[in-house]
Amino acid sequence: MAATLQKGGDRLGAYALFAAVLSGAGLPIYIYAPKFFADNYGLSLATLGAVLFGLRLFDVIQDPILGWISERLDAARTMAVSVAAGVLALSMLGLFAIVPPISPIWWFGLTITGLFSAFSFLTINFYARGVAKAGEIAGGHTRLAAWRETGALLGVCAAAVAPTALVGIVAAPFGMFAIGFAAVTLIAALLMMQEWGQTAQSEPTPIRQILKDKTARRLLILALVNATPLAVSSTLFLFFVESRLDAPGWEGPLLVVFFLAAAISAPIWSGLAGKFGAKPTLIFAMVVAVVSFGFVLLLDQGDVWFFVVICVVSGATIGADLTLLPAMFARRMAELAPNGGQGFGLWATVTKFTLAFAAAVLLPVLEGAGFTSGAASNPAEALTMLTILYALVPCTLKLVAIALLITTQLEE
């Protein structure tokens, strides 16, 4: 295996592109899909939030099962991953490029289920393969994470800006985005084809063994708490920019600023982690995140350029979250469960649940406060609630995550 890898190169570029596809199918869809279906098909925010939350409850069962299946695929892994990539592409097309042939809420549920089920399966196999890959390249988990998460963040940037950038250029910007995404997905799947057959062959690790491990359990809890602030702010981002800042049309550029700052910072955080340790570096980044995002509470209509600065600083701290924390978990899985499937099934469940929690809780609360998506104006009480949910809630959760990380014992 080592000889094959040396001859073929590290292929970290393929890892970066595949990570870009996965990230493009994750967070941006939570940002755009609810508003897209609310604005185009008249679905209520509360109904969409309920569907997303129901899907995440399904994931609690599904993702560990997908991890169990992943550990036992062996020779069939390449075919299974290829089919999942096809489902991912088709689901994206169905979500944004096809007018619902049935009730919009049922079509939303069907396509979003296909999208995120394929996303889960691909993510589990991708990160499980990364556990073995890190042991085969110079720089190990930190170097692989830098490539992988930088690619992921660039993918988020592209997926975040593409739909709004295409407005006024093509008749159906979201449909064109879905077509482009499907094409890139197929290219990324082809470039990664050689990797799937090289996944480490070892005995599957029971999920109870992973959950019994104190470090793994703490990291999963930390991932849950630490990812929730990003889920909250991402769910409400479009509404905040459009209604609180009164800056329609700025959504795409601001998303790019945020995620581009994260992408540029990822290798910097990796370098700092190599020098000072991953845990101290991540704690520092999380503290900066709380301080910078706290200033959102002071913003009012028209304060776009102040928000740009906040996006740059807080976005850079997200680069640490998305680079260092997965590397910590992957390092622990390399020791505890080299096959990786069950462990990353749990990881996928935890990280996705935060997005569903945000949608299920925040969207109904916002709607209950009198907020209406796309309205020319909203009541002052609704805008105040939007600010509290968008800024104060994430800062509070981030402080809890900092406390958890400080009290978690990790081996560097």
Side-chain angles (χ1 to χ4, degrees), residues 160-237:
V161 71
T164 54
L166 291 171
V167 172
I169 300 176
V170 296
F174 279 90
M176 187 59 65
F177 160 72
I179 293 170
F181 176 87
V184 175
T185 298
L186 297 179
I187 294 172
L190 286 173
L191 292 176
M192 279 290 292
M193 195 76 73
Q194 299 180 55
E195 289 291 311
W196 305 119
Q198 299 180 28
T199 301
Q201 302 299 314
S202 59
E203 287 298 318
T205 304
I207 195 169
R208 63 180 179 275
Q209 182 175 330
I210 297 171
L211 291 175
K212 285 171 61 177
D213 181 76
K214 182 178 180 181
T215 301
R217 192 169 61 248
R218 293 279 293 193
L219 285 171
L220 286 168
I221 295 172
L222 177 59
L224 176 65
V225 177
N226 191 55
T228 305
L230 179 59
V232 170
S233 58
S234 299
T235 301
L236 300 177
F237 182 88

Side-chain angles (χ1 to χ4, degrees), residues 29 157 165 239 301 348:
I29 306 310
C157 288
F239 305 115
Q301 290 185 343

